[in-house]
Amino acid sequence: MKHTISVLLQNKPGVLSRVTGLFSGRGFNIESLSVNQTLEADVSCLTLVTTGDDAIVEQITKQLHKLIDVIKVTDNSETDCVEREMILIRVKAEANTRAEVLRIIDIFRGKVVDVGPKTYMIEMTGNAHKLQAVVDLLRPIGIQEIVRTGTIAMIRAHKN
Amino acid sequence: MKISGAQAFIKCLEEQGVEVIFGFPGGAVIDLYDELLKQDKITHVLVRHEQAAVHAADAYGRVRGEVGVALATSGPGATNTVTGIASAYCDSIPMVVFTGQVPTMLIGNDAFQEVDIVGITRPVTKHNYLVKKAEDLVPTIREAFHIARTGRPGPVLVDLPKDVISAMINFPEPQPIKMRTYRPTYEPHPGQIEKACKAILKAKKPVIYAGGGVIASNSSEELTELATKLGIPVTMTLMGLGGFPGTHDLSMGMLGMHGTYYANMAVAHCDLLIAVGARFDDRVTGRIDAFAPHAKIIHVDIDPSSISKNVGVDIPIVADCKHALTAMNSWLDRTEACDAAATVKKHEPWRNEIDAWKKKHPLGYVQDSDIIKPQFVVEKLHELTGGNAIITTEVGQNQMWAAQFYKFNKPRNFMTSGGLGVMGYGFPAAIGAQMAAPNRTVIDIAGDGSLQMNIQELATARQYKCPVKIAILNNNYLGMVRQWQELFYDKQYSATVLDVAPDFVLLAQAYGAVGLRARKPSEVEPVIKEALATDNTVIMDFVIAREEGVFPMVPAGKATTEMLLV
């Protein structure tokens, strides 16, 4: 099962390699990874997507906790959260397909951010499923290149 | 007043109560060595290879219950420490290793004797640091010692660039260490203690399985109290030996791959396994689904990641073993439902069952009147030292025979490379142990193969007048691998025959040490007696039965009840 894990880290040199080294050394998977600053200048948030059964994810969480620079580990799969990725797609856009491309990205609330003589560059955000759906729809038209970020996640506010 | 980084380094060591460090100099750490010479509070032991410095610091720390300290230069000095650090990491030994580094402006330049030792040791240290700014030096060293000795102990490496130790700095006053992200749990959850105690009172066939955590937390008294209060049999891991008296009626000795028949049978048949400071290592569990299959499991460990890692646990207790055992003992003492005497009596049939296994297959060997049996040597060492020596071992058959036949009654008397299994550990460890306890008898139970991995330390032992005794169980083989080849590889002794070996007696003499040899069983006792009476480093070369094996043995991947017996 897929798990999105958020890790708050002290922003120190080499801290990312402590995390990734832990995963490679213990044979855990990383499917995607995203790191950036938080509100506190010396704290980073690392979000990673991994797969494994409950026992493996429990070990991953505990091992991450053991790293001295790790402040907090949250397995978002156990909570109601918003997950987002961003994708840039360069897709063929010739006279006979332009309208179709625009229609598709409009449905998915994407936008064109660069126009070439025969291509569009499209920017879109969403969860992994949504982005995959767009990629699948555009593929027959002709995707030339894609670049995709890792997942980031934030827990939803308590309703009451 | 400003002082140099090197002077601050010495002051930090003094502040931490360090009396002995083990090291080897080099270009990047000359400043530190210059300061070491100018003071007399800290003794520096000059080893002949940096790996030995780390093993010696490991054993020094274990004997004293303190943080061991090793020092090496940059580049090759640093890389030579890696095996020792990895061993200390596997065995949770508190240690701080200092390495020199090229000046900060040269880092990343492929400078002479530059290596990214922080990168290299990241997976084998509890934590590590590269000190980039001189003002960070003192706080970093203080934090390193704090991390090494607290929680689940472990090695911490501090990499010191040359310009950092030559810079002039203000020495900051000591302050309590507060770390935002590192606060180990010492106190057990009272609810879990109650659950555990109730399970213990309910059990009909309980077994205590004690590991190195009992020794690290100095809780052998509390463990002994729990076991004797309720009459619960105890088995120990290799790292746990000495945590409970080996000659006690309730002791079943070691469990696992070369554990006793009765310890493995008891674990296989118990209805409650009380794991204290142990980690369900593969050498202990054998085939995992056949390990303690009928038992409810209580697991006390200070490291949450050890719990339910290999074997699912019913009652986890995250705590320091000493705190947890104290809490359990006091719960049992104040609870009316706990009738200790009745519980001891209730467990009598269970103890009888274990005794029957013990009678059926005791730990033993076939004595021989012409050829020396290695087990006999270890038994004699035990007898002639009254069980009071500090024993270190190399790795392989020698290690297992030592673990089986030397009955450790006290903690911190047995130093071995348990988790990593480092050949070459025992001799430098013996030197470290002797530096920690100058008046004790220290014996390295060695194999002829392992000893040659750090034999150069004879010079160190002589230089610092360490009267350590080395007992070589000499079979001219890399014996443990040979045993596997004999049993599982059609006796194809590939690369395990040591055709050329030094004359160890002459070798000892070449270093100014004493060499003794025994070829017959009748010579064993006189040789040991002479060695113990000699105030010098002694090599005892026992020419043993070449193809003697270590038994019982659980073949890799088998259930622990599927033992090969003598």
Side-chain angles (χ1 to χ4, degrees):
Chain A
M1 191 188 147
K2 232 173 218 176
H3 288 254
T4 308
I5 296 174
S6 297
V7 188
L8 284 183
L9 301 159
Q10 306 240 65
N11 194 0
K12 292 197 175 159
V15 67
L16 182 59
S17 62
R18 290 188 201 278
V19 173
T20 54
L22 167 66
F23 274 73
S24 60
R26 293 191 180 266
F28 303 142
N29 279 319
I30 299 182
E31 293 199 352
S32 83
L33 181 74
S34 155
V35 199
N36 222 314
Q37 273 195 354
T38 62
L39 279 176
E40 289 178 70
D42 58 348
V43 175
S44 294
C45 179
L46 179 152
T47 313
L48 61 85
V49 178
T50 184
T51 46
D53 60 25
D54 288 352
I56 290 176
V57 174
E58 184 184 332
Q59 258 306 300
I60 290 175
T61 314
K62 284 173 168 178
Q63 293 292 345
L64 283 167
H65 263 298
K66 233 169 112 169
L67 297 176
I68 304 285
D69 289 331
V70 167
I71 301 166
K72 192 179 171 195
V73 182
T74 318
D75 182 358
N76 294 301
S77 324
E78 293 163 2
T79 58
D80 189 10
C81 70
V82 176
E83 291 187 6
R84 289 292 179 269
E85 288 176 27
M86 188 173 122
I87 192 169
L88 296 172
I89 307 170
R90 196 190 314 279
V91 61
K92 265 196 211 164
E94 293 172 359
N96 57 341
T97 56
R98 267 181 208 163
E100 173 70 3
V101 170
L102 290 176
R103 244 193 324 270
I104 292 172
I105 62 167
D106 190 44
I107 294 168
F108 285 89
R109 279 179 269 166
K111 56 186 177 186
V112 177
V113 289
D114 183 56
V115 179
K118 291 180 178 177
T119 60
Y120 285 158
M121 191 199 298
I122 295 157
E123 171 198 316
M124 196 173 298
T125 61
N127 64 24
H129 291 298
K130 174 183 163 184
L131 299 187
Q132 195 55 48
V134 172
V135 169
D136 290 343
L137 283 168
L138 293 177
R139 186 166 281 147
I141 298 170
I143 294 176
Q144 293 184 341
E145 192 182 354
I146 63 171
V147 181
R148 212 163 156 168
T149 66
T151 302
I152 53 170
M154 189 182 272
I155 296 172
R156 289 182 194 273
H158 287 291
K159 295 290 187 288
N160 41 7
Chain B
M1 195 190 75
K2 291 203 169 194
I3 59 173
S4 72
Q7 287 168 325
F9 168 84
I10 303 284
K11 277 186 84 163
C12 281
L13 295 188
E14 285 176 11
E15 191 181 285
Q16 299 293 336
V18 175
E19 291 172 20
V20 179
I21 70 172
F22 302 87
F24 196 97
V29 289
I30 290 190
D31 291 70
L32 299 180
Y33 275 89
D34 195 48
E35 287 304 325
L36 276 167
L37 199 63
K38 292 178 191 160
Q39 56 82 50
D40 54 10
K41 288 187 185 148
I42 298 163
T43 304
H44 175 267
V45 175
L46 174 64
V47 294
R48 298 304 191 264
H49 187 292
E50 290 89 348
Q51 184 195 350
V54 184
H55 292 325
D58 172 318
Y60 181 92
R62 277 156 95 157
V63 170
R64 289 268 186 111
E66 294 167 8
V67 179
V69 179
L71 170 60
T73 192
S74 64
T79 54
N80 276 346
T81 64
V82 173
T83 301
I85 294 172
S87 178
Y89 185 65
C90 287
D91 292 343
S92 306
I93 305 303
M95 177 190 293
V96 176
V97 176
F98 294 98
T99 48
Q101 182 56 279
V102 300
T104 46
M105 59 176 223
L106 285 181
I107 289 178
N109 252 343
D110 300 327
F112 176 66
Q113 293 195 331
E114 180 193 354
V115 77
D116 174 16
I117 195 63
V118 168
I120 289 171
T121 58
R122 204 168 277 136
V124 293
T125 50
K126 186 171 171 187
H127 197 54
N128 60 15
Y129 300 88
L130 165 63
V131 184
K132 277 191 168 161
K133 287 185 264 168
E135 65 264 32
D136 291 342
L137 176 67
V138 174
T140 303
I141 294 176
R142 287 172 180 160
E143 201 171 283
F145 275 88
H146 174 71
I147 291 174
R149 69 161 67 94
T150 52
R152 177 175 178 177
V156 178
L157 180 134
V158 184
D159 200 21
L160 303 168
K162 187 164 168 136
D163 54 328
V164 166
I165 50 179
S166 59
M168 298 304 285
I169 56 169
N170 289 311
F171 189 80
E173 285 303 308
Q175 280 173 347
I177 292 180
K178 273 191 208 148
M179 293 178 66
R180 176 177 180 181
T181 59
Y182 173 72
R183 283 182 226 110
T185 308
Y186 280 81
E187 287 302 329
H189 189 286
Q192 293 300 91
I193 292 294
E194 185 173 334
K195 263 195 218 168
C197 289
K198 285 182 173 164
I200 291 172
L201 288 179
K202 221 175 119 189
K204 293 193 178 85
K205 299 180 169 188
V207 163
I208 293 175
Y209 148 46
V214 171
I215 309 222
S217 62
N218 297 313
S219 52
S220 51
E221 270 180 42
E222 290 79 3
L223 179 81
T224 307
E225 184 187 333
L226 177 68
T228 51
K229 193 198 302 284
L230 303 179
I232 304 173
V234 181
T235 180
M236 286 158 278
T237 68
L238 181 65
M239 292 300 296
L241 291 175
F244 183 79
T247 54
H248 197 287
D249 284 345
L250 289 172
S251 170
M252 301 184 288
M254 188 169 71
L255 81 167
M257 182 175 272
H258 292 293
T260 62
Y261 175 79
Y262 36 102
N264 284 334
M265 291 302 278
V267 169
H269 290 85
C270 70
D271 66 353
L272 179 73
L273 187 69
I274 308 159
V276 188
R279 60 187 178 92
F280 298 81
D281 165 83
D282 59 283
R283 286 297 194 262
V284 159
T285 61
R287 206 180 82 220
I288 205 107
D289 56 308
F291 181 72
H294 315 293
K296 201 170 200 176
I297 297 178
I298 298 170
H299 189 184
V300 181
D301 206 294
I302 198 162
D303 177 2
S305 76
S306 277
I307 291 174
S308 293
K309 184 172 71 178
N310 303 331
V311 173
V313 168
D314 300 288
I315 306 175
I317 300 175
V318 177
D320 179 86
C321 295
K322 194 179 186 85
H323 293 245
L325 289 166
T326 304
M328 283 157 88
N329 283 327
S330 101
W331 191 94
L332 292 165
D333 287 343
R334 68 172 186 264
T335 302
E336 282 181 22
C338 169
D339 182 341
T343 312
V344 173
K345 200 161 167 52
K346 183 181 85 175
H347 293 151
E348 204 175 296
W350 172 229
R351 289 193 300 273
N352 290 339
E353 206 175 329
I354 293 171
D355 281 342
W357 285 319
K358 202 172 190 168
K359 285 204 183 82
K360 191 172 163 200
H361 293 295
L363 194 60
Y365 59 97
V366 181
Q367 183 58 294
D368 192 295
S369 54
D370 299 324
I371 306 169
I372 299 173
K373 288 298 182 87
Q375 302 94 332
F376 173 68
V377 175
V378 178
E379 278 183 344
K380 276 285 163 199
L381 286 169
H382 180 261
E383 181 192 322
L384 296 170
T385 56
N388 288 321
I390 295 175
I391 301 293
T392 69
T393 75
E394 304 294 337
V395 163
Q397 290 183 315
N398 60 80
Q399 179 186 33
M400 290 299 113
W401 285 319
Q404 289 177 332
F405 290 93
Y406 200 98
K407 306 293 177 202
F408 297 93
N409 278 333
K410 286 188 185 141
R412 303 195 180 280
N413 280 352
F414 182 52
M415 319 290 143
T416 193
S417 174
L420 195 67
V422 178
M423 290 173 71
Y425 171 88
F427 183 31
I431 294 171
Q434 189 79 78
M435 291 303 294
N439 298 321
R440 301 274 307 272
T441 300
V442 180
I443 302 172
D444 171 27
I445 296 182
D448 50 306
S450 285
L451 182 64
Q452 290 184 68
M453 284 212 179
N454 270 320
I455 189 79
Q456 77 286 345
E457 298 307 316
L458 275 169
T460 310
R462 288 282 299 135
Q463 182 166 336
Y464 296 89
K465 300 192 168 32
C466 291
V468 299
K469 315 291 183 253
I470 303 166
I472 306 177
L473 307 175
N474 191 343
N475 54 14
N476 259 142
Y477 278 130
L478 299 174
M480 187 58 97
V481 178
R482 186 211 61 77
Q483 180 175 338
W484 283 49
Q485 289 169 335
E486 177 190 341
L487 295 170
F488 314 117
Y489 290 84
D490 260 349
K491 298 196 177 184
Q492 295 295 307
Y493 293 166
S494 175
T496 44
V497 187
L498 299 177
D499 284 327
V500 173
D503 180 323
F504 288 104
V505 171
L506 290 179
L507 189 68
Q509 289 165 5
Y511 278 94
V514 174
L516 305 169
R517 181 171 289 126
R519 293 181 185 281
K520 288 185 291 192
S522 60
E523 293 166 359
V524 170
E525 187 164 327
V527 160
I528 296 174
K529 279 185 170 163
E530 187 179 343
L532 293 176
T534 304
D535 186 23
N536 193 349
T537 311
V538 182
I539 289 184
M540 296 172 268
D541 187 14
F542 296 103
V543 181
I544 61 161
R546 285 197 79 194
E547 304 217 344
E548 185 72 10
V550 180
F551 295 103
M553 176 179 192
V554 179
K558 296 272 185 177
T560 48
T561 46
E562 301 174 67
M563 283 167 271
L564 308 174
L565 298 158
V566 180

